[in-house]
Amino acid sequence: MKVHINAERCQGHGRCYDLSPELFTEDEEGYGQISGDGLVPGGAEPAAHLAAANCPERAIAVQEA
Ligand code: F3S
């Protein structure tokens, strides 16, 4: 599983890195960033779906492996 942020949609709401800090971080302006290469480690799948479901801009895509 992989996560991706569409930077054109992200408005910096911050729910991704607040809810799922193991997968997301923020840049210096508060926009969401993927931690690492976006591969979701085993056990973190719920965190990926949680972040995607809570992004008001629907900027987060979860790609099933
Ligand atoms: Fe951006 Fe959505 Fe996260 S707007 S900061 S990707 S919650």
Side-chain angles (χ1 to χ4, degrees):
M1 179 183 283
K2 278 193 94 165
V3 285
H4 173 79
I5 292 179
N6 182 333
E8 291 182 2
R9 286 188 169 220
C10 174
Q11 298 294 321
H13 293 287
R15 297 193 189 159
C16 52
Y17 50 79
D18 283 346
L19 290 168
S20 304
E22 64 270 65
L23 296 174
F24 301 94
T25 183
E26 61 184 303
D27 71 9
E28 56 280 351
E29 294 179 321
Y31 291 97
Q33 301 278 297
I34 301 291
S35 294
D37 58 9
L39 280 175
V40 177
E45 294 90 348
H49 288 299
L50 182 71
N54 281 278
C55 175
E57 307 298 334
R58 297 193 171 278
I60 299 172
V62 178
Q63 190 176 36
E64 305 290 341

